[in-house]
């Protein structure tokens, strides 16, 4: 096996592992949200047991990583890109977003996916911050801290 074939296979395995870890992050965030909701409630604890972590979310790819979500929900490329940006409070490169969108067999139909994502994000400037060349972040609804 030549070096380029090994590199391509290694890259595919890395992408699979990244997708798996992103799903686990989403599961943990959902657990955190449920626990926070439970702790903030003013009512007495109910007799119903707290849900087990394995019952919170199915152990499959998150919706934004699952290519069939394009056909099932008929979501636009921009909506899917927003879902990716809102999944983590950090800057995403355009390459990261397009890689996540194109992973799998049901990738969105676009000749130039990178440009389609860029245009979709520019059109959603009220929800997206352009933080640098090729870098995008979901615009938080929280006010920015005042400089003192």
């Amino acid at each position: 096996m030549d070096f380029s074939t090994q590199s391509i296979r290694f890259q595919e395995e890395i992408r699979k592992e990244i997708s798996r870890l992103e799903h686990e992050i989403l599961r943990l965030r959902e657990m955190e949200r449920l626990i926070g909701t439970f702790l903030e409630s003013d009512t007495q604890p109910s007799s119903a047991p707290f849900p087990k972590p394995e019952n919170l979310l199915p152990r499959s790819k998150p919706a934004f990583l699952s290519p069939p979500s394009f056909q099932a929900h008929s979501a636009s490329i921009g909506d899917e890109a927003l879902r990716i940006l809102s999944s983590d409070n950090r800057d995403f490169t355009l390459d990261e977003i397009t890689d996540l969108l194109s992973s799998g067999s049901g990738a969105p139909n676009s000749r130039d996916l990178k440009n389609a994502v860029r245009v979709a994000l520019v059109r959603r400037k009220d929800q997206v911050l352009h933080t640098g060349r090729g870098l995008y972040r979901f615009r938080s609804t929280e006010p920015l801290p005042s400089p003192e």
Side-chain angles (χ1 to χ4, degrees):
M1 187 180 309
D2 66 338
F3 179 73
S4 64
T5 305
Q6 284 179 329
S7 298
I8 291 170
R9 287 190 179 160
F10 183 67
Q11 184 181 23
E12 289 171 359
E13 292 300 316
I14 288 173
R15 285 183 178 160
K16 287 178 187 176
E17 182 63 11
I18 289 170
S19 294
R20 186 190 68 77
L21 292 172
E22 286 172 335
H23 173 67
E24 291 301 314
I25 289 170
L26 290 176
R27 289 183 73 246
L28 291 171
R29 285 193 177 136
E30 179 67 12
M31 284 176 46
E32 178 185 34
R33 185 189 65 76
L34 287 173
I35 291 170
T37 302
F38 179 76
L39 293 175
E40 290 173 0
S41 68
D42 293 334
T43 61
Q44 293 294 324
S46 66
S47 60
F50 195 75
K52 293 182 181 180
E54 57 270 12
N55 295 335
L56 293 177
L57 289 173
R59 288 188 172 265
S60 62
K61 282 184 169 181
F64 70 84
L65 293 178
S66 175
S69 68
F70 286 102
Q71 289 110 15
H73 304 297
S74 67
S76 68
I77 290 173
D79 291 339
E80 293 294 324
L82 278 178
R83 187 172 297 137
I84 291 169
L85 290 176
S86 66
S87 70
D88 200 359
N89 186 23
R90 67 176 179 90
D91 292 348
F92 283 84
T93 65
L94 204 49
D95 288 331
E96 283 180 287
I97 297 168
T98 56
D99 286 346
L100 290 170
L101 286 172
S102 63
S103 64
S105 60
N109 188 14
S110 175
R111 281 185 170 185
D112 187 359
L113 183 59
K114 195 173 190 176
N115 191 47
V117 170
R118 184 188 58 77
V119 169
L121 293 177
V122 167
R123 288 182 178 164
R124 290 166 171 81
K125 61 184 171 189
D126 58 324
Q127 297 171 298
V128 176
L129 289 171
H130 185 226
T131 58
R133 186 174 175 100
L135 293 173
Y136 298 90
R137 177 187 286 262
F138 187 74
R139 186 180 296 266
S140 175
T141 57
E142 301 170 4
L144 294 173
S146 60
E148 295 180 49

